[in-house]
Amino acid sequence: MPILPIVTYNDPILRKETRPVEENSDELQKLIANMFQTMYNSNGVGLAAPQIGKSIQLFVMDTDEVTKEKDDEDDTGPMVFINPKIISRSGDKYKMEEGCLSIPEVRDEVSRPEVIKISYLDKNFEEQTQSFKGWQSRVIQHEYDHLNGVLFIDYLSAFRRRLHKSLLKKIDNGRLETEYPVKPKNLMKSG
Ligand code: NI
């Protein structure tokens, strides 16, 4: 399965509204498999379709790597969210450091509510409604934003964003080395 290049934050596709997935197909299943492969290759815990250049309502998630030492009951394994809708957000807002495969090396704290309830189609195109907290809730909210053209840096104050300015410029110019393939092409870290 091919590893897909990840588009970086200056790409207009990351700002577009996505369209719903209309039907299940071999093509869709292949895309999902490739997205998991791409996500694991870059050590990510979530990946949204716009990040690999597809403007559709789809994201994948696997947080087991980060949750396994903390709370086993949170382990869900790989999950697929097609045409998701967050129905409710609840609980206290809290800050947590986030990053994004489309914005390599930039990390900062974002405040989001603790619990979400979401309805979506799973990998088999079956309707699900589920509540999530902790890591999963955090990743889902981040990936869900991608489907609406929102990036985590949008939540930062002008001051915080200025701190990342030189890094963002480097990404923009394709001068930032990454451990995984990105688009536009840039330097790949060797080894
Ligand atoms: Ni992201």
Side-chain angles (χ1 to χ4, degrees):
M1 276 177 292
I3 287 160
L4 308 164
I6 293 174
V7 302
T8 48
Y9 95 105
N10 52 322
D11 195 306
I13 199 161
L14 294 176
R15 297 306 191 175
K16 267 175 78 174
E17 287 265 339
T18 48
R19 59 179 192 280
V21 177
E22 271 161 30
E23 54 175 8
N24 199 356
S25 64
D26 289 350
E27 200 191 346
L28 180 73
Q29 293 300 322
K30 207 177 286 174
L31 177 69
I32 290 168
N34 289 345
M35 281 175 67
F36 274 116
Q37 197 73 11
T38 303
M39 182 184 82
Y40 293 131
N41 177 64
S42 51
N43 292 315
V45 289
L47 183 69
Q51 294 183 274
I52 45 93
K54 299 265 183 214
S55 195
I56 56 172
Q57 291 170 15
L58 160 70
F59 65 83
V60 299
M61 166 177 98
D62 187 347
T63 59
D64 283 11
E65 265 316 301
V66 287
T67 55
K68 73 179 170 196
E69 280 153 33
K70 292 172 191 156
D71 191 354
D72 283 337
E73 70 184 46
D74 275 348
D75 285 6
T76 52
M79 292 193 78
V80 177
F81 296 80
I82 299 163
N83 302 343
K85 271 241 141 55
I86 291 184
I87 302 165
S88 68
R89 302 170 196 250
S90 58
D92 292 335
K93 274 192 158 190
Y94 70 104
K95 280 186 176 176
M96 191 169 164
E97 197 181 72
E98 293 187 23
C100 180
L101 295 174
S102 292
I103 318 171
E105 287 184 31
V106 177
R107 303 193 67 83
D108 213 326
E109 286 187 330
V110 178
S111 184
R112 299 186 194 266
E114 195 184 344
V115 185
I116 54 127
K117 191 174 182 185
I118 188 169
S119 65
Y120 61 98
L121 300 173
D122 66 16
K123 188 176 185 287
N124 304 315
F125 248 64
E126 270 160 36
E127 271 186 51
Q128 307 286 347
T129 300
Q130 228 175 320
S131 289
F132 293 90
K133 58 178 173 60
W135 263 93
Q136 276 111 1
S137 168
R138 181 57 63 153
V139 175
I140 288 167
Q141 290 180 72
H142 176 116
E143 301 309 329
Y144 188 81
D145 273 353
H146 273 300
L147 305 186
N148 296 298
V150 175
L151 301 174
F152 84 93
I153 51 170
D154 300 346
Y155 295 105
L156 305 182
S157 65
F159 171 74
R160 295 296 311 170
R161 215 167 326 163
R162 247 190 327 268
L163 293 180
H164 302 299
K165 206 174 154 190
S166 65
L167 210 44
L168 292 172
K169 207 163 179 187
K170 256 183 145 176
I171 301 169
D172 234 347
N173 298 337
R175 286 189 292 110
L176 188 79
E177 293 187 6
T178 54
E179 310 264 6
Y180 48 90
V182 295
K183 199 180 144 193
K185 269 202 180 76
N186 66 351
L187 302 165
M188 284 274 286
K189 272 182 184 166
S190 47

